[in-house]
Amino acid sequence: MVIVAGAGPGNPEYLTAEVRQAISQTPKVLAFGRIKESLAQIRQDIDSISRVDEVLEAVQKSSSQDILVLVSGDPCFFGIVDFLKRKGVNIERILPGISAVQYFATKLQLPWSEAIVKSFHGRKLELGELQTGTYFFFTDRENSPRKIAETLAAAGYAGDFYAGYRLSYSDEKIIHIQIGEPLQENDAVAMAAAVLKTTHTEKF
């Protein structure tokens, strides 16, 4: 049986009770490196994975053993569920988690019911035509908050821009700039948000 669970933004304090129980009770637990390190206080024998293909390999090797796959955020929100289903993996249960978007929105006190979420994690940075409003961006080392902010500025957008590093951890850092201002970057896991006041199709 394969269970996929969301581990939230990273800090174990944001695990749901259901996911915490599954971590303790499931015979085999897989997690990507950052999540494994964060949950070491709960369980020491979590197997580390670095690629989604490793999940398929583990499922094939442990067909008779229950496996819990832990992912950051929520598994159905830009998560691994779609990949596993396309590969024919039979998922018995999916346990929800707090998405980084939910967490970041509360820290910024930004309602996100009408926000647009874009993921540039492992993808090409293509902003497309953006309208006035709130946007959240999943980032990676290549498509970092600074690169997104600079791309927005080069396209003529204006508005507030927020970069959140190590969200939910004790060393969390959130930076607020106006699009067009310099953003000091670091290598920590991050995501970004923008509240666009005007688009590049308008004159200002």
Side-chain angles (χ1 to χ4, degrees), residues 66-154:
D66 290 349
I67 296 178
L68 174 65
V69 181
L70 290 169
V71 297
S72 61
D74 182 90
C76 290
F77 192 57
F78 291 109
I80 199 174
V81 168
D82 183 56
F83 170 81
L84 294 179
K85 285 184 173 292
R86 283 190 282 106
K87 294 297 182 178
V89 175
N90 182 27
I91 301 173
E92 182 70 21
R93 283 194 298 154
I94 298 175
L95 309 182
I98 297 174
S99 169
V101 172
Q102 291 172 276
Y103 179 88
F104 202 19
T106 59
K107 295 294 287 189
L108 300 178
Q109 298 187 20
L110 282 177
W112 67 290
S113 53
E114 297 184 8
I116 295 175
V117 183
K118 291 178 173 286
S119 177
F120 299 125
H121 187 80
R123 304 179 185 185
K124 187 176 181 180
L125 180 55
E126 295 179 342
L127 291 173
E129 184 79 17
L130 305 183
Q131 303 300 317
T132 300
T134 301
Y135 292 80
F136 287 90
F137 306 101
F138 284 93
T139 69
D140 60 16
R141 291 189 183 279
E142 173 65 24
N143 298 313
S144 66
R146 182 169 65 184
K147 183 175 180 180
I148 294 172
E150 290 175 348
T151 302
L152 287 169

Side-chain angles (χ1 to χ4, degrees), residues 8-14 34 103 165-172:
N11 190 319
E13 291 184 3
Y14 292 93
R34 178 173 68 89
Y103 179 88
Y165 299 93
R166 295 274 295 170
L167 292 175
S168 82
Y169 294 100
S170 59
D171 57 346
E172 170 184 284

Side-chain angles (χ1 to χ4, degrees), residues 16 26 89 130 132 157 183 193 198-199:
T16 67
T26 308
V89 175
L130 305 183
T132 300
Y157 291 99
L183 174 65
T198 184
T199 69

